[in-house]
Amino acid sequence: KVTCCSNRLNCKFISIFDVMQQRFISVIFTTRRIEAHEELKRLPAARIEHFQAQKSYWTDRFDTEGQCEWLASYSTLKPLIEESRKCEREDAQVIILGCGNSTLGFDMHKDGYPNISSVDFAENVIDQMKVKHGTGSGGLSWHVADLRALPETEFPCSKFHFAIDKGTLDSMLALGKQGWINPNVNFEDLEDETWVKAISAAQKYLKEVHRILLPTVGVFFLVSLGSPEFRVPLLEKCNLEVQQIKLLEPQRQDREDDEAKLKLKWNGQYHNKHIYICTTAKPQ
């Protein structure tokens, strides 16, 4: 039995959204040693809405999670990044969108990209990354900002050659009850208010990506579990033209576990990891 109260707490409550079954799963874990027959006590749960996009979820997670390399590491993505960039690496202005506690920005900086801006809306993880990785020898920087409305003083128009999203857009779009439906729909036909809000947030974010990328040479490098029929219409609606779509390939074709690494398993099913390489288009 678990009792909701505000003092003498001994456990925490987390809700996880199961995309495949379209429902929340409650997970409760203890925060100290529990004696036999002791009653579990937690804070009352607030109404959960936009679970993964909520700042509170991510700040709580980053308080206890050391490091998580969502979807793919830099060593896996490096050949595709090299192939898709349109300028010399020493000249490239790179932004990592929703960096979390990934080492992607730090790894790229070590590999010869001198100008890396890593952004997240969770202040605690940015503080952690500053302590852990510092500011390198100059161009490695960490910023707290809302990706849907980046401050123009720090992120002016047409600044970046390369913008990388490794699961951030997925996080925004895995919220609605209909998380994998085609986003190119008439909002008036949708009854799920949560999904409409998720799509609206994603569009604001992608329009900011378009704003900060350099015309012609700017590249948006999106790593996503979303399949092309769901992601391409949304990207193009925000004036990001999809030039290439790639699937991550296993290092050794004869290894079943390598094949599993290409996908994320949810509820017993695997979802492909896609890479969308986009350039900016003129606003319609």
Side-chain angles (χ1 to χ4, degrees):
K1 180 182 178 180
V2 181
T3 300
C4 294
C5 61
S6 58
N7 54 21
R8 302 186 66 183
L9 307 176
N10 56 21
C11 67
K12 285 188 175 182
F13 167 90
I14 292 178
S15 286
I16 299 174
F17 186 70
D18 186 327
V19 175
M20 299 306 300
Q21 293 189 0
Q22 299 298 314
R23 64 188 180 91
F24 285 103
I25 299 171
S26 297
V27 178
I28 295 176
F29 59 94
T30 58
T31 55
R32 61 175 173 79
R33 181 184 177 89
I34 303 297
E35 302 297 332
H37 307 298
E38 182 180 354
E39 185 178 54
L40 294 177
K41 296 181 179 181
R42 66 167 177 85
L43 286 171
R47 181 173 180 267
I48 298 168
E49 184 175 313
H50 281 230
F51 159 67
Q52 285 189 308
Q54 275 192 346
K55 193 173 181 179
S56 59
Y57 164 74
W58 288 107
T59 52
D60 289 347
R61 174 170 175 165
F62 292 140
D63 276 340
T64 57
E65 181 180 68
Q67 192 260 333
C68 179
E69 207 58 64
W70 188 244
L71 297 181
S73 65
Y74 174 56
S75 60
T76 300
L77 298 176
K78 179 179 176 179
L80 295 172
I81 290 175
E82 293 290 298
E83 177 185 323
S84 58
R85 63 180 167 82
K86 297 178 180 289
C87 65
E88 298 299 322
R89 70 168 65 184
E90 58 268 21
D91 298 325
Q93 291 283 345
V94 180
I95 184 168
I96 312 296
L97 300 159
C99 63
N101 49 29
S102 163
T103 62
L104 177 62
F106 179 70
D107 293 339
M108 290 184 70
H109 191 263
K110 285 196 304 181
D111 197 36
Y113 288 87
N115 302 301
I116 305 284
S117 301
S118 295
V119 187
D120 203 283
F121 70 173
E123 295 178 18
N124 60 340
V125 79
I126 292 298
D127 289 340
Q128 292 168 21
M129 298 305 273
K130 285 179 179 178
V131 171
K132 189 173 183 178
H133 299 299
T135 55
S137 56
L140 184 64
S141 61
W142 308 92
H143 307 264
V144 178
D146 183 345
L147 296 176
R148 299 167 300 176
L150 293 167
E152 292 194 32
T153 52
E154 293 179 86
F155 307 98
C157 298
S158 305
K159 175 179 179 178
F160 294 95
H161 297 85
F162 216 82
I164 301 178
D165 174 325
K166 202 156 63 79
T168 300
L169 180 63
D170 284 7
S171 176
M172 292 182 182
L173 290 175
L175 310 175
K177 194 187 231 179
Q178 309 168 53
W180 296 101
I181 67 170
N182 189 332
N184 191 26
V185 295
N186 186 340
F187 288 174
E188 295 178 358
D189 295 335
L190 286 175
E191 297 179 357
D192 184 357
E193 182 182 354
T194 302
W195 174 242
V196 174
K197 289 180 179 179
I199 281 286
S200 177
Q203 287 185 316
K204 289 177 182 178
Y205 161 51
L206 292 175
K207 288 176 180 177
E208 281 293 85
V209 173
H210 182 276
R211 180 183 68 80
I212 64 175
L213 282 175
L214 281 158
T216 309
V217 297
V219 173
F220 181 41
F221 189 92
L222 170 66
V223 187
S224 171
L225 297 173
S227 56
E229 61 265 35
F230 302 145
R231 290 294 179 264
V232 172
L234 179 60
L235 290 164
E236 293 185 345
K237 191 177 182 71
C238 298
N239 300 306
L240 292 164
E241 291 186 347
V242 179
Q243 302 296 323
Q244 296 183 68
I245 302 173
K246 295 178 178 287
L247 287 175
L248 292 180
E249 297 182 358
Q251 295 178 349
R252 290 165 288 179
Q253 296 288 344
D254 59 338
R255 288 280 302 275
E256 183 178 349
D257 58 339
D258 282 329
E259 180 68 25
K261 290 176 184 177
L262 305 183
K263 306 177 181 182
L264 184 67
K265 191 172 184 180
W266 273 335
N267 194 34
Q269 298 186 39
Y270 285 102
H271 298 266
N272 288 309
K273 296 177 183 178
H274 297 84
I275 295 177
Y276 298 87
I277 299 170
C278 311
T279 56
T280 57
K282 291 183 179 179
Q284 299 175 352

